[in-house]
Amino acid sequence: MTSYIREFLGMEKPKGYYTELASEIEKKDAEYHAFTTLNRKIIDCSDGSVPFTTKANICVKGIETTAGSKMLKGYLPPFDATVVERMLNDGKFSFLGETNMDEFGFGTFGLNTEVPARNAFDKDYVAGGSSSGAAVATAMLKYHVAISESTGGSIATPAALNGVVGFTPTYGAVSRYGLIDYANSLDKIGVMARSADDARMVFDIIKGKDEYDTTCAVEKINDEGKDKIYIIRELMEKTEPAIKKAFEKMVDGVGKSYEIKEVSMPILAEAIAPYYIIAMAEASTNLAKYTGYKYGLQYGEFNRRYNDFFTEARSNFGIEAKRRIILGTFIRSESVKDKYYTKALAVRRMIIKEMAKLLNDGFMLSPTLPIPTPRVSDAMKLTSVQNYAMDIFTIPPNLGGFPHITFPYDYMDGMPMGAQLITGHANDYALLDFVSEWEKGFQYKYKHNLGSL
Ligand code: GLN
């Protein structure tokens, strides 16, 4: 059992520990941009609690929460999200800051924001997205946990690229109250940590019913183990050879304790289209409220023509947000909705059915990404559709609301690689158990560890 939280709680902290921590982070962050706000008040906190961060789309009372968007500049939530309230009430944690992200969660590499976060292992490489800052902060700080959010892989992808554990629970296991929505039928709040046991501790604090979120209805989480692991042929065919080779080596090791079966499920290779149709349709409705009147950055005088005011206010959206508003609005329009949206919902149902059947008696395992970590300069050259294609492994479990966990399993040219394990609904603890076991034989080395901090 590896719990850095427990280790930290039992440690004698030198005087000025938090002051030094905050200064070290500030220094590092000038290059890595993991944080959007750093809570300097943690300096006064002498009770020895563990620092936690929140992705910048989770409301923290009185702390500027922008969801990575210019549109929400200056927004100070008047309340704490349920997950934040639960972390603070628990007593073992104190709030360290908010972490960088792709605007409203739109992205795979963390580049769709004003100042992108950089990979903790090498700042020429992408941090991954959309929860870029959460993963970089977790790689930088040994004694820290990150509350993060995923719609289609935003916890898994950056966690894999920064060598940390990224746990995305069953849809509806954790309250979304106080989350700035991307796509409500897909959004989940989860955890990034240095170990599965730390992720479990945080999950146990934040999960459970909440009167403010009626979709948070998963009552009992089980730990029922499995002895089979499925690997999907059609997804592996979309993987770059170098990643495939490293992954297969890892699977050989795991194969000693599990029965490994390669199976065919062609529909999963088609999951990207229905995901982006559904995600964009929902995103465009969620973003409709940011007009500068009631929500969003208020621009200039109110007594102007509606179109002038509206256009100016909406121009605060970044390019990817604009793309999704336009496509999402089109997808939902009366004349084409059956052609795209209704069809996407039908494909989603088929995916859920096929996956649920398989996950009934086994896990699904894959790499987290089909390619090695790209350099920032290379990722910037990708078209939108090439970007979306990188979500091939992370989208299926997110479409189905299935819990999944990403864990580091190897290095390639000094950069971390992650694998993703999926299980059936409400079987979240089985994933955490699996990774705890895995960690006994594999401890990741963090060259960007901030010394003793
Ligand atoms: N890359 C995916 C998208 O852009 C997932 C993002 C997320 O999970 N928030 O939609």
Side-chain angles (χ1 to χ4, degrees), residues 55 57 101-102 104-109 112 129-131 149-155 157 182 187 275-276 279 320 324 387-388 391 394-395 398:
K55 183 173 178 175
N57 58 357
M101 61 182 284
D102 282 302
F104 290 107
F106 306 151
T108 302
F109 294 126
N112 299 330
S130 68
S131 315
E149 175 273 340
S150 165
T151 307
S154 277
I155 295 177
T157 299
Y182 165 176
D187 296 345
Y275 166 80
Y276 274 96
E320 186 60 26
R324 294 185 188 212
N387 251 294
Y388 303 162
D391 298 339
T394 58
I395 276 176
N398 282 289

Side-chain angles (χ1 to χ4, degrees), residues 192-213:
M192 284 189 213
R194 280 294 194 80
S195 74
D197 292 324
D198 283 353
R200 179 193 303 253
M201 193 191 282
V202 175
F203 177 52
D204 281 339
I205 294 166
I206 61 176
K207 75 174 168 38
K209 283 193 133 180
D210 177 15
E211 59 173 318
Y212 296 120
D213 177 4

